[in-house]
Amino acid sequence: KVLLRMIAFAPTPKDDYSSDGASRAVAELNRPDTVPRLRELASAGNVRAAQALRGMKDPAAEAPLVELAKSSPSRIRRVAVEALAGRA
C-alpha cells in the first residue's frame, strides 16, 4: 500500500521511460491485487502507474493495458502500447 501511495503522489516523470523506484518495485512484486489501483491511477493520467503495469509479468495487467492503449492520453497510451508490444 505504501508503494501505491508513493506512485499516486509522485511527480510526473520527464519522459515515458524513466520510472522511479516505487514503480519498479510494484512491477517486480508482480501482485495481481495491485492491478485495480494501478489501472485507476493510470486511467486518471498517472504515468508512473502505467509504467508499473508495463513492468508486471502477471496476466492480470494485460486487460488494463489494452484499455489504456485504446482510450488514454498520449503519454499513457505510449506506455501501454509499448508494454503490449513487448508481451507479443
Side-chain angles (χ1 to χ4, degrees), residues 1-80:
K1 289 186 177 189
V2 171
L3 291 171
L4 291 176
R5 196 172 305 130
M6 289 173 69
I7 289 172
F9 294 105
T12 302
K14 291 183 172 75
D15 61 61
D16 300 335
Y17 304 102
S18 61
S19 60
D20 66 351
S23 298
R24 283 191 303 274
V26 168
E28 289 173 10
L29 287 172
N30 202 39
R31 292 182 48 180
D33 62 322
T34 63
V35 171
R37 180 66 175 140
L38 292 171
R39 178 180 55 218
E40 178 185 337
L41 290 169
S43 293
N46 187 306
V47 175
R48 295 198 190 278
Q51 290 172 331
L53 284 169
R54 174 182 64 195
M56 292 182 76
K57 303 294 183 224
D58 193 284
E62 191 165 333
L65 288 167
V66 170
E67 180 183 311
L68 293 168
K70 289 180 179 178
S71 62
S72 296
S74 61
R75 288 191 73 188
I76 303 290
R77 185 178 307 126
R78 260 193 311 273
V79 171

